[in-house]
Amino acid sequence: MSIFNYKQRNNIILVSIIVLGCFLLYAISSLFSAILGAVVLYTIFRPLFVNLVEKRNWNKTLVALLIIFSSLIVIVIPFLTLSIMVVGKISNINLKDLPIDQWISKIDTFAGTNLNQPHFAEDTLQKLGNFATGLFPSILGNVANTIITLLVLYFILYFMFTQMREFEAGLLKYAPFREQHALKFATALRDSTYSNVLGQGIIAVTQGFLLALGFYALSIPDAVFWGVIGAFISFLPVVGAPTLSIPASILLFAQGHNWQGVAILVYGLLVIGNIDNVLRMIINKRIANTHPIISVIGVFIGLPLFGILGLVFGPVLLSYFMLLLEIYETNRMAADRLERINSV
């Protein structure tokens, strides 16, 4: 016969679940980006899956694989393209044509006179060389981690789709709030995901395209390359694609192309810079209103946690947190009203 009564056994089991759950969360913390990515992709592609499987009677396994393949192309190809373009750009730089020795001498002279560090440039180059030597294992490790993350992400996503009804029923069953609030949270989660992921993606692609178009029109070299770079930095707060027009303008002024310098500066800051506000207003009106502060703070939260994926995951995660706070506040107000009614 057990020495514990019914209530004590339940409390022990609950404590064991919490302790074991914390341990499991710590164990899979390195895969959190894969889990969050699966949730984001599931939220985005769920309407398409439901339409093809439940309305058009397509095979759900085939549809899940098609979605996985399509999203893989959309995710991998842009990053692969950027990597190839950046590597190609660096490999085309001819170091022999650069007066590196003169630059080192000038920097060392300046540093020795003003900073009392006569070998500043040489020491810096040596440190950079050591860093570059140890960079290859880091790159290989990052590639391996990326592959593992993608495999786990799509493994989870596959079963989320093929067992969609069971998955969503389980979420409703174990959700810590009422069913109507859970459905409200699901709708708000979908809207915030669309706004942060699809909305920011549309803005980034548009700004990158306009930047490349402007550079090409003014005969600035490597217009496509800088357009791709502009699309990626559009995710960064404050910086954005329009800032690339500033060094381009300086370069044109230095080459004596004054009106082209003015044109690219005005075009970048006024046209490309303001298209962000116009598109964001349209997206917020049609999908959801995500405050710019959430996007800015979310990026700073996401980058240390997820690396470059934090540009997307950070704002999404912060939006989810704000939604949970809203639901908690709603539940708390309802509990207070019920308590006041019972006390009368």
Side-chain angles (χ1 to χ4, degrees):
M1 183 176 179
S2 175
I3 62 174
F4 302 107
N5 59 34
Y6 177 78
K7 185 176 181 180
Q8 289 174 335
R9 285 197 298 270
N10 278 346
N11 289 336
I12 293 173
I13 292 173
L14 179 60
V15 171
S16 301
I17 290 173
I18 293 174
V19 172
L20 184 58
C22 293
F23 175 77
L24 292 175
L25 285 175
Y26 174 77
I28 64 172
S29 58
S30 61
L31 298 176
F32 185 69
S33 58
I35 298 172
L36 183 59
V39 172
V40 169
L41 291 179
Y42 176 82
T43 305
I44 293 174
F45 289 105
R46 184 185 181 279
L48 176 62
F49 182 85
V50 171
N51 180 62
L52 294 178
V53 172
E54 298 186 357
K55 295 183 179 180
R56 299 179 182 271
N57 296 320
W58 286 30
N59 182 274
K60 61 182 180 181
T61 301
L62 176 62
V63 174
L65 293 175
L66 287 174
I67 289 175
I68 288 173
F69 180 73
S70 302
S71 62
L72 184 63
I73 292 176
V74 171
I75 292 173
V76 171
I77 284 185
F79 285 96
L80 182 62
T81 302
L82 177 65
S83 301
I84 293 174
M85 295 177 72
V86 170
V87 171
K89 186 71 175 177
I90 295 174
S91 63
N92 289 331
I93 297 176
N94 189 356
L95 296 178
K96 295 181 180 179
D97 295 336
L98 300 176
I100 296 179
D101 293 336
Q102 298 180 16
W103 294 348
I104 292 176
S105 177
K106 290 181 179 179
I107 294 173
D108 283 341
T109 301
F110 176 82
T113 303
N114 298 278
L115 305 175
N116 196 25
Q117 296 184 10
H119 303 290
F120 174 79
E122 293 181 10
D123 294 341
T124 303
L125 284 178
Q126 185 176 2
K127 292 179 181 179
L128 289 175
N130 295 333
F131 172 76
T133 302
L135 187 62
F136 291 100
S138 175
I139 291 175
L140 294 176
N142 289 334
V143 171
N145 290 334
T146 301
I147 293 174
I148 292 174
T149 299
L150 288 174
L151 288 175
V152 174
L153 186 156
Y154 285 116
F155 179 79
I156 296 173
L157 185 64
Y158 173 80
F159 286 103
M160 289 173 73
F161 277 128
T162 55
Q163 300 179 9
M164 182 181 70
R165 294 307 174 190
E166 295 86 347
F167 169 69
E168 293 181 352
L171 290 179
L172 286 175
K173 180 180 179 180
Y174 294 104
F177 28 74
R178 296 178 180 178
E179 183 174 348
Q180 62 267 29
H181 291 155
L183 296 175
K184 178 183 177 182
F185 174 73
T187 302
L189 183 146
R190 179 199 62 195
D191 293 342
S192 63
T193 301
Y194 283 1
S195 177
N196 284 292
V197 178
L198 295 181
Q200 188 57 47
I202 292 172
I203 292 172
V205 171
T206 303
Q207 286 190 323
F209 173 77
L210 291 176
L211 184 72
L213 189 64
F215 278 25
Y216 178 78
L218 295 175
S219 300
I220 298 177
D222 302 316
V224 176
F225 170 80
W226 292 114
V228 175
I229 297 296
F232 274 87
I233 68 173
S234 292
F235 286 94
L236 294 173
V238 182
V239 184
T243 56
L244 290 179
S245 63
I246 298 176
S249 175
I250 295 174
L251 178 63
L252 290 172
F253 276 117
Q255 295 175 346
H257 306 303
N258 295 332
W259 75 266
Q260 290 95 331
V262 174
I264 194 61
L265 186 63
V266 173
Y267 175 76
L269 298 181
L270 295 184
V271 178
I272 301 178
N274 286 315
I275 198 68
D276 182 337
N277 299 325
V278 174
L279 290 176
R280 196 176 299 278
M281 182 176 61
I282 296 173
I283 292 168
N284 290 343
K285 185 177 180 181
R286 291 181 175 270
I287 302 176
N289 186 13
T290 301
H291 200 281
I293 292 180
I294 292 180
S295 299
V296 173
I297 297 178
V299 167
F300 286 107
I301 292 173
L303 285 176
L305 292 176
F306 308 109
I308 192 170
L309 294 177
L311 295 174
V312 176
F313 287 166
V316 169
L317 197 62
L318 185 58
S319 296
Y320 293 172
F321 175 74
M322 299 300 293
L323 291 174
L324 287 174
L325 284 180
E326 182 181 348
I327 290 178
Y328 172 79
E329 183 180 3
T330 302
N331 287 340
R332 184 65 182 173
M333 292 174 62
D336 290 341
R337 286 197 300 267
L338 182 61
E339 184 178 351
R340 286 196 299 268
I341 292 173
N342 293 332
S343 62
V344 175

